[in-house]
Amino acid sequence: MDRRTFLRTSAIGGAAAASTTLAAPLYAQGNRTLTMVTSVPDGFAIFDDAANYAARAITEMTDGQLTINKMPAGSLVGAFEVFDAVSAGQADLYHSAEYYFLNQHPGFAFFTAVPFGMTGPEMMAWYYHQGGMELHHELSGLFNLKGFLCGNTAMQPGGWFNSEITSADDLQGLRFRMPGQGGQVLGRLGASVQNIPGGEIYQALASGQIDGAEWIGPFADERLGFQEVTQIYYTAGFHEPGSALALVFNLDVWESLTPGQQKIAEIACEATHANNFSMSLAENGAALARLQSEGVVAREFPDDVWDAFGRAAAEVSAESMSDPIYARIAESYFASMGSTAAWWDIGDGEYIRQRNRVNAG
């Protein structure tokens, strides 16, 4: 029995599975409300903007045949529980960042961001024209899901720190919030990595629970008020050169939609991706200027720190290459990126440093 069949029968139950089978033709005949769970609270700049844009687009383009009822983090399930809730049919779809779910499969990292990986435009080229979407569907389908990219936060800065990072030694014991492969890289370099939901970062910083954190970028970070807690901001980051968000349907729900509704949802996700990326670019520069006018000091990591990031990132990715799906996604991703050699050649530290400094703008 494959995972999808198991989830249908065990997580939902025989009776529920039967009702799903019977209900699908009826759904196609009338209006329907779908419950979307998200990984951030209401009002979170960039991240929640993407969720709202997609929900409105699907609702309006279907003339209300599909109404998306957004449930922010904590209202139905926790920020990091959305994957399991939608996979098991407790909610119809989620909006989140796929790299929150590396425990389900390491390949999900590529559908948000990997260290020294793709910029936003490169991600769009790979995803829409070079097989990335098909690989996303294949991977998500293993978990009774149908995933689409749906938002892009652009380059994410290195983050907020209580003290300056003068060498790679300063990462030892650093309590830092960072998810995904970036967090795994910091962990390999001696940091104590915390995967804290977005809605809890400010309090963790203010209380001293953590020594630093990365979130999205100047516009979103300013909205959360991190500048009230610390004023050291590393603006060039190694971990997420172009971070995608995703809208992911329960596969049974997806298959119950009409072909027209499916196409509308797909197009809404593409539109959200482009709109969200351009919003990030439009807002971040002015937000950084405001932060600096309030005393925030922009810093850049020293060269030996960039070199350490590069070595550890290559090691982290290599650890998962024995998984055949991960390996196929990685091969496609880096071939599309056109810089696979530079990625694996950890001696080419100047290339990856300059690449990410350009991404930082």
Side-chain angles (χ1 to χ4, degrees):
M1 178 182 293
D2 62 25
R3 182 178 178 87
R4 179 180 166 192
T5 302
F6 174 81
L7 286 168
R8 280 179 170 171
T9 56
S10 65
I12 301 174
S19 67
T20 300
T21 303
L22 294 172
L26 298 178
Y27 289 152
Q29 296 172 15
N31 294 348
R32 182 178 178 189
T33 298
L34 301 180
T35 298
M36 178 176 76
V37 290
T38 79
S39 289
V40 295
D42 282 330
F44 270 40
I46 306 298
F47 205 136
D48 191 51
D49 287 325
N52 287 327
Y53 189 99
R56 287 195 306 270
I58 293 172
T59 299
E60 292 172 7
M61 287 197 293
T62 62
D63 288 328
Q65 288 183 2
L66 297 178
T67 297
I68 307 300
N69 178 30
K70 191 193 77 172
M71 304 289 288
S75 59
L76 185 62
V77 296
F80 298 149
E81 298 169 359
V82 299
F83 183 105
D84 289 339
V86 174
S87 178
Q90 297 167 354
D92 299 308
L93 65 159
Y94 69 76
H95 186 267
S96 187
E98 295 284 62
Y99 70 172
Y100 290 155
F101 313 120
L102 299 191
N103 287 339
Q104 281 81 359
H105 195 282
F108 282 111
F110 291 101
F111 302 103
T112 301
V114 297
F116 304 105
M118 290 181 173
T119 63
E122 289 170 332
M123 174 68 85
M124 293 176 190
W126 172 63
Y127 195 79
Y128 297 119
H129 299 285
Q130 296 176 317
M133 181 186 293
E134 291 75 15
L135 288 165
H136 193 194
H137 292 171
E138 179 183 349
L139 179 59
S140 60
L142 298 176
F143 299 88
N144 198 39
L145 299 168
K146 183 82 167 187
F148 298 90
L149 294 194
C150 189
N152 195 299
T153 71
M155 191 286 305
Q156 294 201 5
W160 300 83
F161 292 75
N162 287 335
S163 58
E164 292 192 28
I165 303 300
T166 60
S167 73
D169 291 341
D170 291 337
L171 300 173
Q172 292 289 329
L174 184 76
R175 298 170 301 167
F176 198 82
R177 184 269 177 193
M178 181 182 284
Q181 284 192 358
Q184 294 173 351
V185 167
L186 288 186
R188 182 173 289 271
L189 295 175
S192 174
V193 179
Q194 314 292 317
N195 193 8
I196 298 171
E200 301 174 17
I201 300 174
Y202 180 93
Q203 183 57 37
L205 270 174
S207 68
Q209 175 185 342
I210 55 178
D211 302 312
E214 65 80 42
W215 179 229
I216 288 176
F219 183 59
D221 295 5
E222 177 189 41
R223 180 79 61 86
L224 291 185
F226 295 152
Q227 69 277 12
E228 301 167 3
V229 182
T230 179
Q231 297 199 318
I232 301 174
Y233 196 27
Y234 281 80
T235 52
F238 75 96
H239 56 301
E240 299 180 37
S243 304
L245 304 171
L247 189 71
V248 181
F249 289 81
N250 174 277
L251 187 54
D252 299 309
V253 170
W254 175 259
E255 292 177 345
S256 74
L257 303 180
T258 68
Q261 291 168 344
Q262 291 177 347
K263 180 54 67 174
I264 284 172
E266 180 181 338
I267 292 172
C269 288
E270 291 185 20
T272 302
H273 199 169
N275 180 273
N276 199 234
F277 178 69
S278 58
M279 173 188 286
S280 298
L281 296 183
E283 298 288 356
N284 277 336
L288 180 58
R290 289 192 298 271
L291 290 170
Q292 289 177 301
S293 72
E294 297 171 13
V296 170
V297 178
R299 288 285 185 262
E300 184 177 342
F301 296 116
D303 285 350
D304 77 307
V305 175
W306 279 106
D307 290 338
F309 288 155
R311 290 191 297 270
E315 293 169 2
V316 165
S317 188
E319 286 180 348
S320 296
M321 290 298 285
S322 60
D323 182 281
I325 297 178
Y326 182 96
R328 283 197 295 111
I329 297 171
E331 180 181 2
S332 172
Y333 181 98
F334 291 121
S336 174
M337 190 174 162
S339 58
T340 306
W343 166 261
W344 291 113
D345 181 5
I346 60 176
D348 193 6
E350 184 60 24
Y351 173 85
I352 56 180
R353 284 198 301 273
Q354 293 302 329
R355 185 182 201 286
N356 279 35
R357 285 169 178 166
V358 170
N359 294 343

